[in-house]
Amino acid sequence: MQNTGTHTTAAPGAATPTPTHCPYCALQCGMNLTPVEGGTVEVSERTDFPVNRGALCGKGRTAPEVLAPDARLTSPLVRSDDGALVPAGWDEALDRIAGNLERTRARYGADALGVFGGGGLTNEKAYALGKFARVVLGTSQIDYNGRFCMSSAAAAGTRAFGLDRGLPFPLEDIPRTGCVILVGSNPAETMPPSLRYFTELRENGGTLIVVDPRRTKTAEQADLHLAPRPGTDLALALGMLHLVVAEGRVDAAYVEERTSGWEEARAAAMAHWPEHVERITGVSVPELREAVRLFCAPEAAMVLTARGPEQQAKGTDTVGAWINLCLATGRAGRPLSGYGCLTGQGNGQGGREHGQKADQLPGYRKLTDPAARRHVAEVWGVDPDALPGPGRSAYELLDALGTDVRSLLVMGSNPVVSAPRAAHVEGRLRSLDFLAVCDVVLSETAELADVVLPVTQWAEETGTTTSLEGRVLLRRRAITPPDGVRGDLDVLHGLAGRLGVEKGFPTGPEEVFEELRRASAGGPADYSGIDYRRLAEENGVFWPCPAQPASDDTHTADTGTGTGSGTGNSTATGAGSGGGTGHRAVPHPGTPRLFLDRFATEDGRARFVPVTHRPSAEEPDDEYPVLLTTGRVVAQYQSGAQTRRVAELNAAAPGPFVELHPRLAARLGAAEGDPLAVVSRRGRAVAPARITTGIRPDTVFMPFHWPGEGRANTLTNPALDPTSRMPEFKVCAVRVETVTS
């Protein structure tokens, strides 16, 4: 894994370090921040946080560089008559946004207003943004870039278990299980501090299987690396389940006691015999058999997926097939066993739980559920019938810009770089009547805006996030933001007032969180037993964590929540929410481990879902004979809007590249570093060649962090999963050409 970097200790007499969390991935690594001259902070180790135990990757270690005034926005910008973005005052900028939104609504109706959020927003901001869209604007047209992250895993998990939480167990369980299958995940580069868990797994005698068409840094550490053709993970999982049945490895007692739907799923899997799967995937029958043996040999095992199998037009079924493998072998809802998803974005989990997603209300409630609408409407003080219904998913919303959706508010997202078919999305953004963007930096999307608002960053504000473990965490403010910068909550407060809603949008994050607690109470993602005081005293609290009623006794609260009891979590001593005179409310300890007693379905049983392999939305042909897959590199993050402003990270990863096998390079006559054009049905991207035997000869790889001619998402396919509405980022047909000057 990447070195933890040079950490510093505050000098005697220096300001007291503030314990907080990294702004980047869903590990939400703990760190200490100490203010230094220049309006920024110094990062030092925080060894008390159990997830990273002080370790940080290069992105976390250098995160303060984006806090510097010369690296970020410090004044609102408005589009002048000559087309330039020029500085403006806050009142002018907010007046422009409110006026344009009001004019659009008056002319075209509320659904002509769109809102596009981000998986990096705190829970408070995500909650307030969803409320703003539905209560102030009255629009159904809200979604967020987290749709592009783990929506397929969420849909499959909900379908099988009745509840989605990235990991239904803490990361600390990974080294203690017997085998882990990592499918389409490269934590060595995407979340380096987590790699220690897989290293410890092997040191403890466990085995690691990595499924990836590339021999990544993670795959290099695996006991077994399976390199399937992109888009065939579904067939691979079904082939393994076929062998589990054929070799008599099904846990029949578990299937009978804790699941339903096995016979239909079994029949579907038996149509995927090993030789057939070998032809589809390129993974040999002996490799399939070895993978099944390693997975079934120990008493406990896990399957963890990431964007590889999820970012496909059949991502929900693909994840479902891996869940079926876990269920058939009794590897779910048992200690040290289960299926989990390695969420990518910093608050991708919490961002969708509390109302940013097109079809959900706070507490992970369904927008179509009348009881959910009544509960949330009561908290918001509105008529349930006034709440709009579900809107378009992320790509569908972006595709409707300039036609059905005429004005857009973007908060914490950069779809010009991160969306599939990005050139088309850029064109749709340009066609809008009005675009407003709230961001820390002048991203490629902000450059297109009519109004840009400079907002606070992680170290300049307090708020909560929810990690990939379902651990709710408190990020603490360590420094004062520069003059001219305001928080997103201030923005929503200012806009709401200008649009006629004077109350309900406070600017204090703790006040927003208190309302979020009430709105989430009783929902699948119940935060009602969590408060800021408790989060300040503990290293996070795992949801669901319902508020406990006051009681005369002082026994530990039962951890059962309808989704299975937590284990190994001591009773908290922080403040609960409830209580009466003379009574003591014992806080719920949170639920680090889900499903140990029952699943979150009506009957408590996990559901097998029969799935079958089908081709990708776009298969190679004579014109486009090669497969493209995309992903990340260790030194950059997501669209790169922030990390591309850090000199150290740019030195490590200065730009895009095309990774290809020597055999493909030989056919093209390409040498290392030669410019290559990758062409799909949607566009053309150019980047230097990087030749390696660590990728399949029929596949090329491009990282997606850069704009311009090397923008990988110019090429990607927006074909959508029918359930999750996830685009097919991970596989499309391309041709590769040499570029002559």
Side-chain angles (χ1 to χ4, degrees):
M1 64 176 282
Q2 183 159 329
N3 192 285
T4 58
T6 303
H7 297 290
T8 56
T9 303
T16 302
T18 299
T20 190
H21 297 273
C22 178
Y24 290 117
C25 82
L27 283 180
Q28 288 297 280
C29 291
M31 58 170 58
N32 286 318
L33 300 180
T34 304
V36 295
E37 292 184 9
T40 185
V41 292
E42 189 173 69
V43 173
S44 59
E45 289 186 354
R46 181 184 166 193
T47 56
D48 68 303
F49 188 61
V51 172
N52 63 309
R53 304 174 226 166
L56 292 170
C57 74
K59 294 186 291 290
R61 182 169 44 79
T62 60
E65 292 194 27
V66 188
L67 295 168
D70 60 353
R72 43 95 65 86
L73 295 167
T74 56
S75 169
L77 303 174
V78 299
R79 188 73 61 183
S80 66
D81 292 340
D82 64 2
L85 281 172
V86 297
W90 270 94
D91 283 340
E92 178 187 353
L94 290 172
D95 287 346
R96 279 207 191 191
I97 296 173
N100 277 280
L101 294 178
E102 188 56 63
R103 282 190 289 274
T104 297
R105 181 167 60 182
R107 182 173 181 182
Y108 299 106
D111 274 356
L113 303 176
V115 176
F116 199 83
L121 301 181
T122 62
N123 290 318
E124 293 80 0
K125 292 191 277 189
Y127 171 83
L129 186 62
K131 181 181 178 182
F132 176 83
R134 296 178 173 103
V135 173
V136 178
L137 301 181
T139 183
S140 66
Q141 301 303 303
I142 176 173
D143 211 77
Y144 83 128
N145 62 15
R147 174 79 66 171
F148 301 154
C149 178
M150 58 172 292
S151 58
S152 294
T158 301
R159 194 165 68 176
F161 306 133
L163 180 71
D164 153 55
R165 194 179 82 186
L167 291 180
F169 42 76
L171 284 162
E172 67 185 38
D173 285 0
I174 290 174
R176 300 190 293 141
T177 193
C179 177
V180 172
I181 302 180
L182 269 179
V183 189
S185 177
N186 182 18
E189 296 199 70
T190 57
M191 44 182 66
S194 73
L195 193 64
R196 70 193 314 160
Y197 292 101
F198 302 100
T199 302
E200 290 170 9
L201 165 74
R202 298 186 69 211
E203 291 172 349
N204 291 341
T207 55
L208 176 63
I209 301 171
V210 172
V211 179
D212 199 305
R214 304 169 61 223
R215 189 163 182 80
T216 63
K217 292 180 179 178
T218 304
E220 289 174 356
Q221 300 197 29
D223 298 281
L224 178 64
H225 173 213
L226 306 179
R229 183 175 176 265
T232 64
D233 315 81
L234 175 52
L236 182 68
L238 288 165
M240 290 182 65
L241 183 53
H242 177 109
L243 285 171
V244 164
V245 175
E247 295 176 358
R249 299 181 185 271
V250 175
D251 188 335
Y254 173 92
V255 169
E256 174 66 24
E257 179 183 350
R258 300 203 59 190
T259 73
S260 61
W262 165 237
E263 287 305 322
E264 294 83 356
R266 177 187 180 279
M270 296 315 287
H272 299 76
W273 60 95
E275 292 76 13
H276 178 50
V277 169
E278 181 181 67
R279 288 193 293 272
I280 294 171
T281 65
V283 176
S284 69
V285 173
E287 288 176 312
L288 279 173
R289 293 188 184 279
E290 178 65 2
V292 170
R293 184 189 70 80
L294 291 174
F295 183 66
C296 294
E299 183 177 343
M302 299 173 179
V303 172
L304 304 177
T305 66
R307 307 300 80 76
E310 297 163 17
Q311 287 181 327
Q312 299 183 32
K314 52 180 181 290
T316 301
D317 284 355
T318 300
V319 173
W322 290 103
I323 290 174
N324 285 350
L325 178 67
C326 290
L327 293 176
T329 53
R331 308 307 175 89
R334 283 178 167 173
L336 306 182
S337 286
Y339 162 77
C341 166
L342 296 175
T343 310
Q345 294 191 78
N347 197 33
Q349 181 73 47
R352 70 180 181 282
E353 290 170 3
H354 300 299
Q356 236 185 146
K357 197 159 168 274
D359 54 352
Q360 288 175 190
L361 287 169
Y364 224 147
R365 289 179 159 93
K366 294 181 180 178
L367 191 52
T368 54
D369 179 1
R373 293 170 67 88
R374 285 194 300 271
H375 173 85
V376 174
E378 182 177 359
V379 173
W380 288 351
V382 299
D383 185 338
D385 293 336
L387 295 177
R392 293 176 172 89
S393 70
Y395 178 76
E396 291 166 304
L397 173 57
L398 295 171
D399 191 40
L401 300 181
T403 54
D404 293 341
V405 178
R406 309 300 294 250
S407 293
L408 182 70
L409 172 65
V410 176
M411 189 170 280
S413 187
N414 187 19
V416 166
V417 178
S418 63
R421 198 185 174 195
H424 171 73
V425 169
E426 180 178 345
R428 301 319 308 154
L429 285 161
R430 291 180 183 276
S431 73
L432 283 164
D433 294 349
F434 180 76
L435 172 63
V437 174
C438 303
D439 212 330
V440 171
V441 298
L442 191 65
S443 69
E444 288 72 22
T445 302
E447 288 176 354
L448 305 180
D450 298 288
V451 178
V452 183
L453 299 180
V455 291
T456 51
Q457 299 188 58
W458 56 291
E460 302 162 347
E461 60 187 13
T462 294
T464 63
T465 62
T466 305
S467 75
L468 79 170
E469 302 174 296
R471 187 194 298 254
V472 184
L473 302 162
L474 183 64
R475 278 194 200 157
R476 297 167 175 87
R477 174 171 167 161
I479 55 171
T480 302
D483 292 339
V485 174
R486 296 185 184 179
D488 293 287
L489 295 179
D490 295 89
V491 170
L492 296 176
H493 173 83
L495 291 176
R498 285 167 170 80
L499 292 166
V501 180
E502 299 292 340
K503 296 181 179 180
F505 289 89
T507 59
E510 186 168 7
E511 187 176 352
V512 176
F513 189 79
E514 286 301 304
E515 183 178 302
L516 182 157
R517 293 174 65 198
R518 298 196 303 275
S520 74
D526 191 334
Y527 284 27
S528 61
I530 307 172
D531 60 23
Y532 270 36
R533 175 180 155 192
R534 182 173 178 182
L535 291 175
E537 295 173 350
E538 302 179 37
N539 273 322
V541 179
F542 293 86
W543 72 259
C545 183
Q548 296 291 96
S551 173
D552 287 319
D553 63 55
T554 56
H555 290 93
T556 300
D558 177 30
T559 58
T561 63
T563 56
S565 337
T567 60
N569 193 36
S570 61
T571 304
T573 57
S577 58
T581 304
H583 298 282
R584 177 175 179 268
V586 179
H588 189 288
T591 315
R593 296 170 181 85
L594 297 171
F595 313 137
L596 295 182
D597 298 330
R598 67 191 309 274
F599 294 96
T601 56
E602 289 185 4
D603 60 5
R605 292 173 172 265
R607 304 184 189 99
F608 281 98
V609 177
V611 294
T612 57
H613 174 72
R614 58 185 184 273
S616 298
E618 192 173 82
E619 291 288 313
D621 57 19
D622 290 343
E623 187 175 2
Y624 301 97
V626 177
L627 291 169
L628 168 71
T629 191
T630 63
R632 288 168 49 188
V633 297
V634 67
Q636 301 287 354
Y637 181 73
Q638 303 298 72
S639 75
Q642 294 183 54
T643 51
R644 285 187 274 112
R645 286 166 168 80
V646 178
E648 179 181 326
L649 301 179
N650 280 334
F657 56 86
V658 181
E659 186 177 279
L660 72 165
H661 192 275
R663 279 159 48 188
L664 178 56
R667 288 202 300 272
L668 295 168
E672 181 77 12
D674 284 353
L676 294 177
V678 182
V679 184
S680 78
R681 290 176 173 86
R682 289 153 296 281
R684 181 175 186 265
V686 178
R690 182 174 294 183
I691 301 172
T692 174
T693 57
I695 191 169
R696 292 174 55 95
D698 58 2
T699 301
V700 295
F701 166 84
M702 291 188 70
F704 63 83
H705 310 289
W706 290 273
E709 70 171 3
R711 181 174 58 185
N713 276 320
T714 296
L715 309 168
T716 49
N717 191 350
L720 300 180
D721 181 288
T723 302
S724 67
R725 314 309 289 169
M726 169 73 84
E728 189 147 84
F729 286 99
K730 286 303 180 190
V731 53
C732 69
V734 299
R735 66 173 179 268
V736 185
E737 303 169 340
T738 55
V739 177
T740 56
S741 56

